[in-house]
Amino acid sequence: MRVSEQLVEERRRAAAWFRALRDEIVAAFERVEDDHATGPLSEQAPGRFEVSETTRQSDDGSDAGGGLMSVMRGGRVFEKVGVNVSEVYGQLGDAAQQAMAARGVPGMDSDPSFWASGISLVAHMQNPHVPAVHMNTRMFWTPHAWWFGGGSDLNPCIEYEDDTAHFHAMQKAHLDPHGTEHYPRLKAWADEYFYIPHRHRARGVGGIFMDDHNTGDWEADFALTQDIGRAFLPAFLPLVEKRRGQSWTDADRDTQLIHRGLYAEYNLVYDRGTKFGLATGHDANAVLMSLPPLAKWV
């Protein structure tokens, strides 16, 4: 199917936005590392991101896109954080076609072509008092449908109610200009999506989430997606600044490692993005960068 010039430009703009957001977040996180001059682990060297390109090939060996994987390990504040961007395309395999068809995407059996771009971030922190966090935004296209998706959610192992309230308030503040109906709907969606059925509990304190978002107005939908991304740093960084200097105990660390087990279970069993990335042959290290560096099960 021939792609229109308008669609080519829309896809270019979306991919460029995800890359720009990645650059802003990576720079902000390295500043956090530089600024952590007192408190636990401040005697260590500030962490830095290791950046590598990821590539993907179709079954016939042709180019199928790729991305940029940026991972910081063993920082003063961040124990492990990954900020990945990707732009991939090609033909969906049988399993991915079936998954798309099950979600109501028409015509996958006649033309399984696709294009997708997005940013995905997961941060696991050194200090158990600083919450882990996840964020992603993305655009997906097939010849039969297109949509945006994404959100962010907070995953503290030791919850502070004022931290949770701040995180949600920033999400609401960025969504309300697009319509006050968005925040309660996307909050409820996150509560449902980030629930771990086999543990009968949520993996964290929620946030916002949407998928298959297509009102028919690409500009409006893109603007909403951008503000989901823009909400992330003002929602998360103040919590890091508030908690990174707190001392912690061995019991706190144990609580953190056990909670990380929940995160790993969710991402490996339920997360739609993890399943899609592995099913479409994307770089496994990039797909699984969301997993914590250490976790514990009891």
Side-chain angles (χ1 to χ4, degrees):
M1 179 178 179
R2 187 163 180 246
V3 178
S4 70
E5 291 183 7
Q6 178 182 354
L7 180 56
V8 169
E9 177 61 13
E10 289 171 348
R11 298 196 313 200
R12 185 201 65 77
R13 287 173 58 196
W17 159 253
F18 299 135
R19 175 60 187 263
L21 182 60
R22 173 263 174 209
D23 293 348
E24 180 182 1
I25 291 170
V26 164
F29 282 2
E30 290 190 344
R31 285 195 298 270
V32 169
E33 286 288 315
D34 290 339
D35 292 344
H36 187 59
T38 61
L41 305 182
S42 59
E43 71 281 0
Q44 296 184 180
R48 285 294 180 268
F49 281 93
E50 298 177 4
V51 181
S52 58
E53 293 187 358
T54 61
T55 60
R56 180 177 170 273
Q57 289 185 332
S58 297
D59 292 340
D60 63 4
S62 61
D63 172 56
L68 202 63
M69 179 170 65
S70 305
V71 182
M72 182 195 300
R73 298 177 178 87
R76 292 166 161 176
V77 179
F78 297 93
E79 187 170 2
K80 179 187 176 186
V81 53
V83 189
N84 292 354
V85 288
S86 62
E87 183 177 2
V88 298
Y89 39 83
Q91 304 285 311
L92 291 172
D94 291 341
Q97 288 181 47
Q98 292 170 13
M100 290 295 165
R103 290 169 61 184
V105 178
M108 295 310 302
D109 55 344
S110 62
D111 186 349
S113 302
F114 83 99
W115 174 95
S117 181
I119 176 174
S120 181
L121 175 155
V122 178
H124 298 287
M125 314 305 291
Q126 294 279 19
N127 193 323
H129 297 285
V130 182
V133 72
H134 157 260
M135 185 276 292
N136 78 79
T137 57
R138 57 190 177 274
M139 177 185 167
F140 195 92
W141 171 91
T142 77
H144 323 286
W146 59 263
W147 64 85
F148 289 97
S152 60
D153 65 297
L154 199 66
N155 297 270
C157 66
I158 301 170
E159 184 184 356
Y160 293 92
E161 291 185 1
D162 52 337
D163 290 4
T164 300
H166 171 82
F167 188 81
H168 280 272
M170 288 297 99
Q171 310 290 346
K172 185 176 187 300
H174 283 76
L175 292 180
D176 278 356
H178 301 273
T180 56
E181 74 279 4
H182 287 300
Y183 171 73
R185 181 175 67 89
L186 270 57
K187 178 185 181 299
W189 200 339
D191 290 342
E192 177 183 0
Y193 184 73
F194 295 113
Y195 184 78
I196 306 174
H198 67 268
R199 295 294 186 184
H200 308 290
R201 59 160 295 175
R203 79 173 189 186
V205 296
I208 55 175
F209 179 78
M210 71 176 186
D211 211 352
D212 304 330
H213 183 75
N214 179 342
T215 66
D217 185 337
W218 189 90
E219 291 291 348
D221 294 348
F222 183 41
L224 174 65
T225 304
Q226 288 176 298
D227 275 341
I228 289 174
R230 291 188 183 106
F232 172 72
L233 286 176
F236 181 60
L237 285 185
L239 311 184
V240 178
E241 294 301 317
K242 185 191 299 186
R243 305 293 174 193
R244 62 181 168 86
Q246 288 184 231
S247 60
W248 71 79
T249 65
D250 290 343
D252 294 334
R253 176 63 167 172
D254 205 50
T255 297
Q256 181 189 50
L257 295 179
I258 292 170
H259 190 268
R260 284 179 177 176
L262 289 174
Y263 200 96
E265 288 176 18
Y266 178 88
N267 275 35
L268 291 173
V269 177
Y270 301 111
D271 185 73
R272 196 180 281 174
T274 301
K275 291 180 179 180
F276 177 82
L278 295 176
T280 55
H282 198 57
D283 186 294
N285 289 326
V287 175
L288 297 175
M289 70 85 186
S290 60
L291 295 178
L294 294 170
K296 183 176 181 178
W297 284 264
V298 294

